[in-house]
Amino acid sequence: IRYSPAKGINMLRIAIVDDEDTFCNIIYDIVNSYFSESDIKYTIEKFNSVAKLLESTGMFDIAFLDVEMPTKNGIQVGYDLKRMNPDIVLFIVTSHLSYLDDAMDLQVFRYLEKPVEKERVFRALDIITERETIVDFSSHGKLQKLKADQIVCIYTSLRKNYILTDTGTIIPTGYNIKRWKDIFRNNANFSSPHYSYLINLRYVSKIDNNQITVCCKNGNEMVIYASQRRISQFKKDFMQKMGERH
């Protein structure tokens, strides 16, 4: 089994776009200090114009975009980057909150006010590296790979174990729930409401008493019943993750 953000993540390409070099350098120093303390492979590219960004080759995994720039604002640039890579993680950086609604429509990961707080960026990057971690596991005797963020839940049914993915696919796994809980013991995105289930909190769409609904990206849903002993802690875990989204 391999579960390590340092080893599991492929090269991360990070873009910082701000027409003011001072702010570009500040964000660069924060992001570089975060990743330099890990073994994650990464590159950071700085751009002081939208044209230079769009002329660059390849796709980016993370982008920090100043919202107020000549020719195109950061929201418009975000849509351009989303077309190239729908999975890109976007940070909008600004001195004003007037663009907040537009940022929400773009599904921006974080909205950062200037001056940017180092601790807040670090917390956000912690979440991203947890999501991007690649897990190796056995299925039908073959090695499979999934990002942690592609896993909606892991469950036991009729003494067999399965993974429900974000696309709605169900994959058998030879690892039992106890082993999966050990794999994700340091990943705060996962919580267990019942000894037979391990849920990625990002996919929880509804909690009604002890009834939990998880929803895949394609709209497929699964209803999971929590034990009375574990539902309280599960709700606490869920509320904490909800708080981190804002």
Side-chain angles (χ1 to χ4, degrees):
I1 300 171
R2 173 160 56 81
Y3 175 77
S4 169
K7 297 180 180 178
I9 299 177
N10 296 324
M11 173 75 76
L12 284 176
R13 289 197 66 194
I14 304 162
I16 300 171
V17 190
D18 197 313
D19 57 321
E20 296 185 45
D21 289 336
T22 299
F23 286 112
C24 218
N25 291 332
I26 289 172
I27 297 172
Y28 176 91
D29 290 341
I30 292 173
V31 176
N32 187 57
S33 67
Y34 176 89
F35 285 107
S36 64
E37 294 176 2
S38 72
D39 294 325
I40 298 172
K41 295 180 180 179
Y42 68 100
T43 61
I44 306 174
E45 297 182 52
K46 296 184 291 183
F47 303 92
N48 58 14
S49 75
V50 173
K52 291 180 180 178
L53 168 70
L54 298 180
E55 288 171 2
S56 65
T57 58
M59 296 189 301
F60 292 98
D61 303 293
I62 302 171
F64 291 80
L65 306 172
D66 180 28
V67 77
E68 295 171 316
M69 293 184 290
T71 66
K72 273 190 175 184
N73 66 41
I75 302 295
Q76 294 169 321
V77 176
Y79 280 108
D80 290 335
L81 294 176
K82 279 271 190 182
R83 281 190 284 272
M84 289 185 278
N85 177 16
D87 295 323
I88 190 171
V89 178
L90 297 175
F91 290 78
I92 291 294
V93 185
T94 184
S95 303
H96 307 285
L97 294 177
S98 56
Y99 292 92
L100 184 57
D101 288 342
D102 292 332
M104 294 296 288
D105 291 339
L106 181 58
Q107 295 182 319
V108 166
F109 181 69
R110 286 291 184 275
Y111 193 94
L112 303 174
E113 289 185 80
K114 295 179 180 179
V116 175
E117 297 178 13
K118 177 179 178 180
E119 293 75 16
R120 187 157 187 253
V121 175
F122 273 32
R123 289 196 301 270
L125 292 174
D126 280 342
I127 295 170
I128 293 169
T129 54
E130 285 179 353
R131 290 182 184 182
E132 293 294 312
T133 298
I134 296 171
V135 182
D136 294 346
F137 64 96
S138 173
S139 179
H140 292 311
K142 295 182 179 180
L143 186 67
Q144 300 271 4
K145 295 177 183 286
L146 279 176
K147 287 183 180 180
D149 196 45
Q150 293 176 305
I151 298 174
V152 175
C153 69
I154 304 164
Y155 63 96
T156 299
S157 178
L158 301 176
R159 297 186 179 182
K160 293 184 178 180
N161 303 287
Y162 303 91
I163 298 170
L164 175 64
T165 72
D166 58 344
T167 60
T169 304
I170 296 175
I171 303 174
T173 170
Y175 300 160
N176 60 27
I177 291 293
K178 183 178 179 182
R179 195 166 184 181
W180 279 108
K181 289 177 182 177
D182 184 59
I183 292 171
F184 288 119
R185 65 186 180 277
N186 295 320
N187 191 322
N189 290 315
F190 287 83
S191 183
S192 175
H194 187 279
Y195 70 90
S196 296
Y197 291 90
L198 184 63
I199 295 176
N200 188 334
L201 297 167
R202 293 192 62 243
Y203 293 98
V204 174
S205 60
K206 183 180 180 181
I207 301 177
D208 185 7
N209 294 320
N210 71 327
Q211 185 174 302
I212 302 162
T213 303
V214 293
C215 185
C216 305
K217 290 181 178 178
N218 64 356
N220 287 359
E221 294 184 338
M222 175 183 286
V223 176
I224 296 165
Y225 291 89
S227 68
Q228 291 297 326
R229 185 169 63 88
R230 299 190 184 192
I231 186 61
S232 178
Q233 183 59 50
F234 183 86
K235 288 180 177 178
K236 289 179 182 178
D237 293 341
F238 177 70
M239 292 306 295
Q240 181 175 344
K241 296 311 293 183
M242 286 292 291
E244 290 177 357
R245 295 178 189 178
H246 303 288

PDB file of all heavy atoms in Angstrom, residues 182-209:
ATOM      1  N   ASP A 182      -6.848   2.520   8.083  1.00  0.00           N
ATOM      2  CA  ASP A 182      -5.449   2.724   8.421  1.00  0.00           C
ATOM      3  C   ASP A 182      -4.749   3.549   7.338  1.00  0.00           C
ATOM      4  O   ASP A 182      -3.935   4.431   7.635  1.00  0.00           O
ATOM      5  CB  ASP A 182      -4.747   1.372   8.587  1.00  0.00           C
ATOM      6  CG  ASP A 182      -3.303   1.530   9.040  1.00  0.00           C
ATOM      7  OD1 ASP A 182      -3.090   2.124  10.107  1.00  0.00           O
ATOM      8  OD2 ASP A 182      -2.403   1.075   8.316  1.00  0.00           O
ATOM      9  N   ILE A 183      -5.090   3.293   6.075  1.00  0.00           N
ATOM     10  CA  ILE A 183      -4.508   4.049   4.961  1.00  0.00           C
ATOM     11  C   ILE A 183      -4.840   5.530   5.082  1.00  0.00           C
ATOM     12  O   ILE A 183      -3.997   6.402   4.869  1.00  0.00           O
ATOM     13  CB  ILE A 183      -5.019   3.493   3.611  1.00  0.00           C
ATOM     14  CG1 ILE A 183      -4.466   2.088   3.370  1.00  0.00           C
ATOM     15  CG2 ILE A 183      -4.627   4.426   2.463  1.00  0.00           C
ATOM     16  CD1 ILE A 183      -5.078   1.382   2.175  1.00  0.00           C
ATOM     17  N   PHE A 184      -6.096   5.832   5.446  1.00  0.00           N
ATOM     18  CA  PHE A 184      -6.559   7.216   5.497  1.00  0.00           C
ATOM     19  C   PHE A 184      -6.592   7.802   6.914  1.00  0.00           C
ATOM     20  O   PHE A 184      -7.274   8.796   7.149  1.00  0.00           O
ATOM     21  CB  PHE A 184      -7.959   7.319   4.877  1.00  0.00           C
ATOM     22  CG  PHE A 184      -7.968   7.157   3.380  1.00  0.00           C
ATOM     23  CD1 PHE A 184      -8.669   6.119   2.791  1.00  0.00           C
ATOM     24  CD2 PHE A 184      -7.280   8.034   2.572  1.00  0.00           C
ATOM     25  CE1 PHE A 184      -8.684   5.967   1.411  1.00  0.00           C
ATOM     26  CE2 PHE A 184      -7.283   7.893   1.186  1.00  0.00           C
ATOM     27  CZ  PHE A 184      -7.987   6.847   0.610  1.00  0.00           C
ATOM     28  N   ARG A 185      -5.854   7.215   7.824  1.00  0.00           N
ATOM     29  CA  ARG A 185      -5.920   7.651   9.217  1.00  0.00           C
ATOM     30  C   ARG A 185      -5.479   9.109   9.397  1.00  0.00           C
ATOM     31  O   ARG A 185      -5.921   9.788  10.330  1.00  0.00           O
ATOM     32  CB  ARG A 185      -5.087   6.737  10.115  1.00  0.00           C
ATOM     33  CG  ARG A 185      -3.591   6.768   9.859  1.00  0.00           C
ATOM     34  CD  ARG A 185      -2.846   5.732  10.686  1.00  0.00           C
ATOM     35  NE  ARG A 185      -1.412   5.748  10.460  1.00  0.00           N
ATOM     36  CZ  ARG A 185      -0.809   5.134   9.452  1.00  0.00           C
ATOM     37  NH1 ARG A 185      -1.532   4.464   8.571  1.00  0.00           N
ATOM     38  NH2 ARG A 185       0.496   5.191   9.315  1.00  0.00           N
ATOM     39  N   ASN A 186      -4.614   9.602   8.511  1.00  0.00           N
ATOM     40  CA  ASN A 186      -4.136  10.979   8.626  1.00  0.00           C
ATOM     41  C   ASN A 186      -4.807  11.930   7.641  1.00  0.00           C
ATOM     42  O   ASN A 186      -4.379  13.072   7.486  1.00  0.00           O
ATOM     43  CB  ASN A 186      -2.618  11.022   8.427  1.00  0.00           C
ATOM     44  CG  ASN A 186      -1.873  10.284   9.518  1.00  0.00           C
ATOM     45  OD1 ASN A 186      -2.233  10.359  10.689  1.00  0.00           O
ATOM     46  ND2 ASN A 186      -0.828   9.560   9.142  1.00  0.00           N
ATOM     47  N   ASN A 187      -5.848  11.449   6.966  1.00  0.00           N
ATOM     48  CA  ASN A 187      -6.550  12.263   5.978  1.00  0.00           C
ATOM     49  C   ASN A 187      -7.890  12.693   6.556  1.00  0.00           C
ATOM     50  O   ASN A 187      -8.813  11.885   6.707  1.00  0.00           O
ATOM     51  CB  ASN A 187      -6.756  11.462   4.688  1.00  0.00           C
ATOM     52  CG  ASN A 187      -7.243  12.319   3.542  1.00  0.00           C
ATOM     53  OD1 ASN A 187      -8.052  13.227   3.740  1.00  0.00           O
ATOM     54  ND2 ASN A 187      -6.768  12.045   2.338  1.00  0.00           N
ATOM     55  N   ALA A 188      -8.005  13.987   6.883  1.00  0.00           N
ATOM     56  CA  ALA A 188      -9.205  14.497   7.551  1.00  0.00           C
ATOM     57  C   ALA A 188     -10.417  14.557   6.637  1.00  0.00           C
ATOM     58  O   ALA A 188     -11.520  14.875   7.093  1.00  0.00           O
ATOM     59  CB  ALA A 188      -8.929  15.894   8.119  1.00  0.00           C
ATOM     60  N   ASN A 189     -10.254  14.239   5.343  1.00  0.00           N
ATOM     61  CA  ASN A 189     -11.399  14.218   4.431  1.00  0.00           C
ATOM     62  C   ASN A 189     -12.266  12.980   4.625  1.00  0.00           C
ATOM     63  O   ASN A 189     -13.395  12.936   4.130  1.00  0.00           O
ATOM     64  CB  ASN A 189     -10.925  14.265   2.977  1.00  0.00           C
ATOM     65  CG  ASN A 189     -10.343  15.610   2.603  1.00  0.00           C
ATOM     66  OD1 ASN A 189     -10.904  16.648   2.926  1.00  0.00           O
ATOM     67  ND2 ASN A 189      -9.206  15.604   1.940  1.00  0.00           N
ATOM     68  N   PHE A 190     -11.746  11.982   5.319  1.00  0.00           N
ATOM     69  CA  PHE A 190     -12.469  10.720   5.471  1.00  0.00           C
ATOM     70  C   PHE A 190     -12.929  10.515   6.912  1.00  0.00           C
ATOM     71  O   PHE A 190     -12.201  10.806   7.857  1.00  0.00           O
ATOM     72  CB  PHE A 190     -11.588   9.543   5.034  1.00  0.00           C
ATOM     73  CG  PHE A 190     -11.404   9.455   3.547  1.00  0.00           C
ATOM     74  CD1 PHE A 190     -10.439  10.214   2.902  1.00  0.00           C
ATOM     75  CD2 PHE A 190     -12.209   8.627   2.769  1.00  0.00           C
ATOM     76  CE1 PHE A 190     -10.274  10.158   1.527  1.00  0.00           C
ATOM     77  CE2 PHE A 190     -12.054   8.553   1.397  1.00  0.00           C
ATOM     78  CZ  PHE A 190     -11.085   9.324   0.777  1.00  0.00           C
ATOM     79  N   SER A 191     -14.155   9.982   7.041  1.00  0.00           N
ATOM     80  CA  SER A 191     -14.713   9.693   8.359  1.00  0.00           C
ATOM     81  C   SER A 191     -15.583   8.446   8.261  1.00  0.00           C
ATOM     82  O   SER A 191     -16.164   8.159   7.204  1.00  0.00           O
ATOM     83  CB  SER A 191     -15.544  10.882   8.863  1.00  0.00           C
ATOM     84  OG  SER A 191     -16.042  10.640  10.163  1.00  0.00           O
ATOM     85  N   SER A 192     -15.684   7.720   9.362  1.00  0.00           N
ATOM     86  CA  SER A 192     -16.430   6.461   9.374  1.00  0.00           C
ATOM     87  C   SER A 192     -17.668   6.568  10.269  1.00  0.00           C
ATOM     88  O   SER A 192     -17.545   6.633  11.492  1.00  0.00           O
ATOM     89  CB  SER A 192     -15.536   5.319   9.877  1.00  0.00           C
ATOM     90  OG  SER A 192     -16.271   4.128  10.001  1.00  0.00           O
ATOM     91  N   PRO A 193     -18.884   6.569   9.660  1.00  0.00           N
ATOM     92  CA  PRO A 193     -20.104   6.655  10.453  1.00  0.00           C
ATOM     93  C   PRO A 193     -20.606   5.291  10.910  1.00  0.00           C
ATOM     94  O   PRO A 193     -21.594   5.187  11.636  1.00  0.00           O
ATOM     95  CB  PRO A 193     -21.094   7.283   9.465  1.00  0.00           C
ATOM     96  CG  PRO A 193     -20.679   6.708   8.155  1.00  0.00           C
ATOM     97  CD  PRO A 193     -19.165   6.570   8.214  1.00  0.00           C
ATOM     98  N   HIS A 194     -19.935   4.235  10.440  1.00  0.00           N
ATOM     99  CA  HIS A 194     -20.360   2.856  10.713  1.00  0.00           C
ATOM    100  C   HIS A 194     -19.157   1.974  10.451  1.00  0.00           C
ATOM    101  O   HIS A 194     -18.320   2.296   9.591  1.00  0.00           O
ATOM    102  CB  HIS A 194     -21.532   2.492   9.792  1.00  0.00           C
ATOM    103  CG  HIS A 194     -22.166   1.171  10.092  1.00  0.00           C
ATOM    104  ND1 HIS A 194     -21.632  -0.020   9.662  1.00  0.00           N
ATOM    105  CD2 HIS A 194     -23.297   0.865  10.779  1.00  0.00           C
ATOM    106  CE1 HIS A 194     -22.411  -1.015  10.060  1.00  0.00           C
ATOM    107  NE2 HIS A 194     -23.418  -0.505  10.745  1.00  0.00           N
ATOM    108  N   TYR A 195     -19.037   0.861  11.167  1.00  0.00           N
ATOM    109  CA  TYR A 195     -17.845   0.040  11.010  1.00  0.00           C
ATOM    110  C   TYR A 195     -17.700  -0.522   9.592  1.00  0.00           C
ATOM    111  O   TYR A 195     -16.610  -0.923   9.177  1.00  0.00           O
ATOM    112  CB  TYR A 195     -17.832  -1.103  12.033  1.00  0.00           C
ATOM    113  CG  TYR A 195     -18.860  -2.187  11.794  1.00  0.00           C
ATOM    114  CD1 TYR A 195     -18.563  -3.302  11.006  1.00  0.00           C
ATOM    115  CD2 TYR A 195     -20.126  -2.124  12.370  1.00  0.00           C
ATOM    116  CE1 TYR A 195     -19.494  -4.298  10.784  1.00  0.00           C
ATOM    117  CE2 TYR A 195     -21.068  -3.112  12.154  1.00  0.00           C
ATOM    118  CZ  TYR A 195     -20.751  -4.193  11.353  1.00  0.00           C
ATOM    119  OH  TYR A 195     -21.686  -5.176  11.137  1.00  0.00           O
ATOM    120  N   SER A 196     -18.782  -0.515   8.806  1.00  0.00           N
ATOM    121  CA  SER A 196     -18.744  -1.058   7.452  1.00  0.00           C
ATOM    122  C   SER A 196     -18.541   0.002   6.372  1.00  0.00           C
ATOM    123  O   SER A 196     -18.547  -0.312   5.184  1.00  0.00           O
ATOM    124  CB  SER A 196     -20.046  -1.807   7.139  1.00  0.00           C
ATOM    125  OG  SER A 196     -20.193  -2.936   7.979  1.00  0.00           O
ATOM    126  N   TYR A 197     -18.376   1.279   6.790  1.00  0.00           N
ATOM    127  CA  TYR A 197     -18.271   2.354   5.802  1.00  0.00           C
ATOM    128  C   TYR A 197     -17.145   3.328   6.155  1.00  0.00           C
ATOM    129  O   TYR A 197     -16.898   3.621   7.321  1.00  0.00           O
ATOM    130  CB  TYR A 197     -19.580   3.151   5.723  1.00  0.00           C
ATOM    131  CG  TYR A 197     -20.732   2.385   5.120  1.00  0.00           C
ATOM    132  CD1 TYR A 197     -21.578   1.630   5.931  1.00  0.00           C
ATOM    133  CD2 TYR A 197     -20.981   2.414   3.749  1.00  0.00           C
ATOM    134  CE1 TYR A 197     -22.633   0.909   5.386  1.00  0.00           C
ATOM    135  CE2 TYR A 197     -22.038   1.716   3.204  1.00  0.00           C
ATOM    136  CZ  TYR A 197     -22.865   0.960   4.015  1.00  0.00           C
ATOM    137  OH  TYR A 197     -23.905   0.261   3.474  1.00  0.00           O
ATOM    138  N   LEU A 198     -16.532   3.857   5.103  1.00  0.00           N
ATOM    139  CA  LEU A 198     -15.585   4.966   5.224  1.00  0.00           C
ATOM    140  C   LEU A 198     -15.959   5.964   4.135  1.00  0.00           C
ATOM    141  O   LEU A 198     -15.973   5.619   2.943  1.00  0.00           O
ATOM    142  CB  LEU A 198     -14.149   4.478   5.039  1.00  0.00           C
ATOM    143  CG  LEU A 198     -13.041   5.514   5.237  1.00  0.00           C
ATOM    144  CD1 LEU A 198     -13.036   6.046   6.665  1.00  0.00           C
ATOM    145  CD2 LEU A 198     -11.679   4.911   4.890  1.00  0.00           C
ATOM    146  N   ILE A 199     -16.279   7.194   4.525  1.00  0.00           N
ATOM    147  CA  ILE A 199     -16.855   8.163   3.594  1.00  0.00           C
ATOM    148  C   ILE A 199     -15.925   9.359   3.388  1.00  0.00           C
ATOM    149  O   ILE A 199     -15.343   9.883   4.341  1.00  0.00           O
ATOM    150  CB  ILE A 199     -18.218   8.671   4.124  1.00  0.00           C
ATOM    151  CG1 ILE A 199     -19.230   7.514   4.148  1.00  0.00           C
ATOM    152  CG2 ILE A 199     -18.751   9.814   3.282  1.00  0.00           C
ATOM    153  CD1 ILE A 199     -20.574   7.912   4.742  1.00  0.00           C
ATOM    154  N   ASN A 200     -15.812   9.780   2.131  1.00  0.00           N
ATOM    155  CA  ASN A 200     -15.133  11.030   1.797  1.00  0.00           C
ATOM    156  C   ASN A 200     -16.136  12.157   2.043  1.00  0.00           C
ATOM    157  O   ASN A 200     -17.153  12.265   1.346  1.00  0.00           O
ATOM    158  CB  ASN A 200     -14.686  11.019   0.334  1.00  0.00           C
ATOM    159  CG  ASN A 200     -13.815  12.201  -0.022  1.00  0.00           C
ATOM    160  OD1 ASN A 200     -13.894  13.265   0.606  1.00  0.00           O
ATOM    161  ND2 ASN A 200     -12.981  12.039  -1.039  1.00  0.00           N
ATOM    162  N   LEU A 201     -15.859  13.004   3.015  1.00  0.00           N
ATOM    163  CA  LEU A 201     -16.807  14.036   3.449  1.00  0.00           C
ATOM    164  C   LEU A 201     -17.156  15.024   2.349  1.00  0.00           C
ATOM    165  O   LEU A 201     -18.207  15.669   2.403  1.00  0.00           O
ATOM    166  CB  LEU A 201     -16.230  14.782   4.659  1.00  0.00           C
ATOM    167  CG  LEU A 201     -16.017  13.915   5.905  1.00  0.00           C
ATOM    168  CD1 LEU A 201     -15.156  14.647   6.919  1.00  0.00           C
ATOM    169  CD2 LEU A 201     -17.351  13.525   6.527  1.00  0.00           C
ATOM    170  N   ARG A 202     -16.312  15.156   1.345  1.00  0.00           N
ATOM    171  CA  ARG A 202     -16.589  16.098   0.264  1.00  0.00           C
ATOM    172  C   ARG A 202     -17.817  15.691  -0.553  1.00  0.00           C
ATOM    173  O   ARG A 202     -18.400  16.529  -1.248  1.00  0.00           O
ATOM    174  CB  ARG A 202     -15.383  16.209  -0.676  1.00  0.00           C
ATOM    175  CG  ARG A 202     -14.166  16.854  -0.039  1.00  0.00           C
ATOM    176  CD  ARG A 202     -13.127  17.197  -1.076  1.00  0.00           C
ATOM    177  NE  ARG A 202     -13.619  18.163  -2.037  1.00  0.00           N
ATOM    178  CZ  ARG A 202     -13.750  17.913  -3.336  1.00  0.00           C
ATOM    179  NH1 ARG A 202     -13.457  16.732  -3.835  1.00  0.00           N
ATOM    180  NH2 ARG A 202     -14.185  18.857  -4.156  1.00  0.00           N
ATOM    181  N   TYR A 203     -18.182  14.425  -0.505  1.00  0.00           N
ATOM    182  CA  TYR A 203     -19.298  13.948  -1.325  1.00  0.00           C
ATOM    183  C   TYR A 203     -20.592  13.784  -0.530  1.00  0.00           C
ATOM    184  O   TYR A 203     -21.584  13.285  -1.065  1.00  0.00           O
ATOM    185  CB  TYR A 203     -18.921  12.622  -1.998  1.00  0.00           C
ATOM    186  CG  TYR A 203     -17.819  12.784  -3.019  1.00  0.00           C
ATOM    187  CD1 TYR A 203     -16.494  12.508  -2.689  1.00  0.00           C
ATOM    188  CD2 TYR A 203     -18.094  13.249  -4.307  1.00  0.00           C
ATOM    189  CE1 TYR A 203     -15.475  12.679  -3.618  1.00  0.00           C
ATOM    190  CE2 TYR A 203     -17.085  13.416  -5.239  1.00  0.00           C
ATOM    191  CZ  TYR A 203     -15.778  13.126  -4.891  1.00  0.00           C
ATOM    192  OH  TYR A 203     -14.777  13.307  -5.818  1.00  0.00           O
ATOM    193  N   VAL A 204     -20.584  14.197   0.715  1.00  0.00           N
ATOM    194  CA  VAL A 204     -21.812  14.130   1.514  1.00  0.00           C
ATOM    195  C   VAL A 204     -22.740  15.262   1.068  1.00  0.00           C
ATOM    196  O   VAL A 204     -22.379  16.440   1.121  1.00  0.00           O
ATOM    197  CB  VAL A 204     -21.505  14.257   3.022  1.00  0.00           C
ATOM    198  CG1 VAL A 204     -22.813  14.341   3.826  1.00  0.00           C
ATOM    199  CG2 VAL A 204     -20.673  13.066   3.483  1.00  0.00           C
ATOM    200  N   SER A 205     -23.938  14.901   0.617  1.00  0.00           N
ATOM    201  CA  SER A 205     -24.898  15.899   0.150  1.00  0.00           C
ATOM    202  C   SER A 205     -26.010  16.153   1.160  1.00  0.00           C
ATOM    203  O   SER A 205     -26.665  17.198   1.116  1.00  0.00           O
ATOM    204  CB  SER A 205     -25.513  15.473  -1.189  1.00  0.00           C
ATOM    205  OG  SER A 205     -26.199  14.232  -1.059  1.00  0.00           O
ATOM    206  N   LYS A 206     -26.197  15.216   2.098  1.00  0.00           N
ATOM    207  CA  LYS A 206     -27.302  15.372   3.050  1.00  0.00           C
ATOM    208  C   LYS A 206     -27.074  14.476   4.265  1.00  0.00           C
ATOM    209  O   LYS A 206     -26.609  13.346   4.136  1.00  0.00           O
ATOM    210  CB  LYS A 206     -28.632  15.016   2.369  1.00  0.00           C
ATOM    211  CG  LYS A 206     -29.863  15.206   3.237  1.00  0.00           C
ATOM    212  CD  LYS A 206     -31.120  14.829   2.462  1.00  0.00           C
ATOM    213  CE  LYS A 206     -32.381  15.000   3.293  1.00  0.00           C
ATOM    214  NZ  LYS A 206     -33.594  14.593   2.530  1.00  0.00           N
ATOM    215  N   ILE A 207     -27.412  15.009   5.425  1.00  0.00           N
ATOM    216  CA  ILE A 207     -27.428  14.214   6.655  1.00  0.00           C
ATOM    217  C   ILE A 207     -28.789  14.427   7.311  1.00  0.00           C
ATOM    218  O   ILE A 207     -29.145  15.559   7.648  1.00  0.00           O
ATOM    219  CB  ILE A 207     -26.306  14.604   7.635  1.00  0.00           C
ATOM    220  CG1 ILE A 207     -24.937  14.426   6.984  1.00  0.00           C
ATOM    221  CG2 ILE A 207     -26.404  13.767   8.915  1.00  0.00           C
ATOM    222  CD1 ILE A 207     -23.778  14.851   7.866  1.00  0.00           C
ATOM    223  N   ASP A 208     -29.544  13.368   7.465  1.00  0.00           N
ATOM    224  CA  ASP A 208     -30.881  13.434   8.053  1.00  0.00           C
ATOM    225  C   ASP A 208     -30.950  12.414   9.187  1.00  0.00           C
ATOM    226  O   ASP A 208     -31.085  11.220   8.945  1.00  0.00           O
ATOM    227  CB  ASP A 208     -31.946  13.139   6.999  1.00  0.00           C
ATOM    228  CG  ASP A 208     -33.363  13.323   7.528  1.00  0.00           C
ATOM    229  OD1 ASP A 208     -33.510  13.810   8.660  1.00  0.00           O
ATOM    230  OD2 ASP A 208     -34.310  12.973   6.803  1.00  0.00           O
ATOM    231  N   ASN A 209     -30.837  12.925  10.418  1.00  0.00           N
ATOM    232  CA  ASN A 209     -30.723  12.049  11.591  1.00  0.00           C
ATOM    233  C   ASN A 209     -29.515  11.134  11.402  1.00  0.00           C
ATOM    234  O   ASN A 209     -28.399  11.603  11.326  1.00  0.00           O
ATOM    235  CB  ASN A 209     -32.018  11.283  11.810  1.00  0.00           C
ATOM    236  CG  ASN A 209     -33.159  12.210  12.187  1.00  0.00           C
ATOM    237  OD1 ASN A 209     -32.967  13.161  12.952  1.00  0.00           O
ATOM    238  ND2 ASN A 209     -34.338  11.970  11.634  1.00  0.00           N
TER     239      ASN A 209
END
